[in-house]
Amino acid sequence: MTNERPYYDVVVTREDGLWVAVVDGLAGGATDVDRMRDLEPDVRDLIAGLRDLDPEDFEITWHYRHREHDLTPAVTLLHEREQSADEAMRKRDEARHSAIIEMHEAGLSYRTIADLVGMSHQRVQQLASADTSV
């Protein structure tokens, strides 16, 4: 028995104002939506229904095409960089919060901390009193 999750290749194109997704090798595996944000949930529901799976029990490899152009490398790189940027911002925010707490516990005023971190003293006070465990 293998623990590998099945994967499906999905080709996405733009046709007549709609995002069209075709699941490679899956009969009846096509859907279209008005907005890109609706595409993944619709495709997952489609595959899950056709294969009797939970929508989270498989992987999707997305391929983006327009006419003869394969846009997959450009879109994939963009998504990777956006994820990296999101992670970097999360780490920055954590470091900022830790620094603010440490400076405040050391006895610095909110105004002094604000000067050090380049924020308003009101925002520093908000961050210093925020409960990050939620």
Side-chain angles (χ1 to χ4, degrees):
M1 178 179 235
T2 180
N3 288 336
E4 285 189 36
R5 293 162 42 115
Y7 75 92
Y8 296 91
D9 287 310
V10 177
V11 176
V12 178
T13 57
R14 186 77 171 159
E15 298 174 27
D16 298 323
L18 297 171
W19 293 104
V20 177
V22 177
V23 184
D24 190 39
L26 185 59
T31 188
D32 57 55
V33 295
D34 290 325
R35 294 187 174 92
M36 179 58 86
R37 69 174 178 246
D38 299 328
L39 192 62
E40 184 169 356
D42 278 20
V43 169
R44 285 193 172 280
D45 287 344
L46 173 70
I47 294 169
L50 291 172
R51 291 293 190 186
D52 196 28
L53 297 169
D54 185 275
E56 299 304 316
D57 285 348
F58 52 86
E59 301 295 329
I60 297 175
T61 302
W62 299 95
H63 304 275
Y64 305 93
R65 299 214 169 87
H66 183 67
R67 298 185 183 119
E68 70 278 358
H69 301 280
D70 181 3
L71 305 173
T72 305
V75 174
T76 300
L77 179 62
L78 175 60
H79 288 170
E80 288 170 358
R81 297 290 163 84
E82 286 175 338
Q83 287 176 338
S84 295
D86 289 346
E87 178 66 13
M89 288 189 317
R90 185 189 61 73
K91 288 179 179 180
R92 180 218 46 208
D93 291 345
E94 288 174 358
R96 176 188 291 144
H97 186 261
S98 294
I100 289 170
I101 296 300
E102 187 173 335
M103 287 185 260
H104 186 255
E105 288 174 352
L108 293 177
S109 71
Y110 291 134
R111 288 187 188 277
T112 301
I113 297 169
D115 283 343
L116 283 169
V117 298
M119 302 175 87
S120 72
H121 70 276
Q122 296 94 335
R123 183 66 180 136
V124 167
Q125 184 176 7
Q126 287 175 336
L127 291 173
S129 60
D131 181 5
T132 59
S133 64
V134 177

